[in-house]
């Protein structure tokens, strides 16, 4: 009793991550902070700053630091990078140095997304650069941690839903098997269970009453 042979079907799951990452817009409420968020195909998502998204399509020779940042994002690297005042002005995102903190975002064990936070130093020009770098790097790390945790919750919830569905399916199969066994056991016609090499593994009551 059972289906033998190779599987004949396939199951595909589509996960919409746009709703999760759209919440990154909250982080860009600070005018000194800009986001550049690349999707799995290396294209900016709707959460990205419009000017950065446009510049990332074709980085110009006059902005080598930004071009290097795009290259590192596409290579799924992690770190920080300074953009000088002239380059920031050419990008149209301010008139002070910018610290870019970047890192890959792993979803379901695979690095498919890349995030960069560009923080202007215009309000912190009197502070030491080392302190600025530590603060902005820590803020970027916290943001990445929150995003990663959110992604983990989404994946865990979907895995739990799949597990529940499989459990219900298994219970349904067990119930169907039990009903089938009862039917075959009580029908007046002899039924014999055989393996692939024709070995008898079981018989119903009709055969047992005739043999015994």
């Amino acid at each position: 009793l059972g289906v033998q042979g190779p599987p004949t079907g396939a199951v595909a799951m589509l996960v919409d991550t746009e709703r999760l990452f759209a919440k990154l817009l909250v982080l860009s409420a600070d005018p000194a902070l800009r986001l550049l968020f690349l999707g799995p195909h290396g294209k900016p998502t709707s959460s990205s700053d419009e000017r950065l998204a446009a510049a990332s399509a074709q980085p110009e020779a006059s902005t080598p630091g930004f071009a290097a940042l795009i290259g590192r994002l596409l290579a799924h690297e992690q770190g920080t990078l300074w953009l000088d005042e002239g380059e920031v002005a050419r990008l149209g995102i301010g008139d002070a140095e910018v610290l870019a903190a970047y890192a890959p975002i792993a979803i379901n064990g695979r690095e498919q997304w890349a995030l960069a936070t560009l923080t202007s130093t215009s309000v912190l020009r009197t502070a030491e650069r080392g302190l600025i770098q530590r603060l902005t790097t820590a803020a970027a790390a916290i943001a990445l941690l929150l995003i990663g945790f959110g992604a983990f919750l989404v994946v865990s919830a979907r895995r739990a839903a799949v597990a529940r569905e499989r459990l219900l399916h298994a219970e349904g199969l067990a119930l169907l098997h039990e009903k089938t066994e009862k039917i075959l056991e009580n029908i007046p016609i002899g039924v014999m269970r055989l393996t692939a090499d024709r070995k008898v593994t079981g018989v119903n009551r009709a055969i047992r009453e005739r043999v015994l």
Side-chain angles (χ1 to χ4, degrees):
L1 296 175
V3 179
Q4 297 183 356
T8 58
V11 176
M13 292 184 63
L14 301 177
V15 180
D16 181 14
T17 57
E18 184 65 19
R19 295 181 180 178
L20 171 66
F21 295 124
K23 296 179 181 179
L24 287 172
L25 292 173
V26 177
L27 298 177
S28 62
D30 185 349
L33 176 67
R34 297 176 185 269
L35 297 178
L36 179 59
F37 197 37
L38 302 184
H41 300 296
K43 303 297 182 181
T45 68
S46 58
S47 303
S48 300
D49 179 84
E50 293 181 0
R51 294 184 179 181
L52 295 178
S56 66
Q58 293 182 339
E60 298 179 357
S62 60
T63 56
F66 184 71
L69 173 63
I70 297 301
R72 295 180 187 182
L73 286 174
L74 294 177
H76 298 295
E77 296 180 3
Q78 180 174 352
T80 57
L81 182 69
W82 282 97
L83 302 181
D84 61 35
E85 296 179 9
E87 187 165 346
V88 171
R90 287 189 291 274
L91 288 170
I93 58 173
D95 57 357
E97 286 186 318
V98 163
L99 176 64
Y102 54 91
I105 302 296
I107 299 180
N108 201 18
R110 296 189 303 172
E111 295 177 349
Q112 298 178 333
W113 305 74
L115 175 66
T117 58
L118 282 74
T119 307
S120 174
T121 61
S122 59
V123 297
L124 301 172
R125 286 180 174 178
T126 58
E128 182 188 7
R129 172 181 276 195
L131 177 61
I132 296 173
Q133 183 171 1
R134 288 194 294 270
L135 290 175
T136 52
T137 301
I142 293 174
L144 295 176
L145 179 62
L146 292 175
I147 295 168
F149 182 69
F152 172 78
L153 291 179
V154 171
V155 173
S156 298
R158 294 191 178 278
R159 286 181 176 175
V162 171
R164 288 193 297 269
E165 184 178 352
R166 289 178 177 175
L167 179 60
L168 291 175
H169 182 64
E171 292 175 351
L173 289 178
L175 182 61
L176 178 61
H177 177 74
E178 181 180 356
K179 290 182 177 180
T180 304
E181 288 286 345
K182 289 181 178 179
I183 292 173
L184 295 178
E185 177 68 16
N186 293 286
I187 61 176
I189 302 174
V191 178
M192 181 180 298
R193 185 187 297 112
L194 301 175
T195 62
D197 55 356
R198 298 184 179 180
K199 292 182 179 180
V200 178
T201 60
V203 295
N204 70 342
R205 186 168 57 186
I207 294 181
R208 291 196 302 273
E209 290 176 353
R210 290 184 175 86
V211 174
L212 303 177

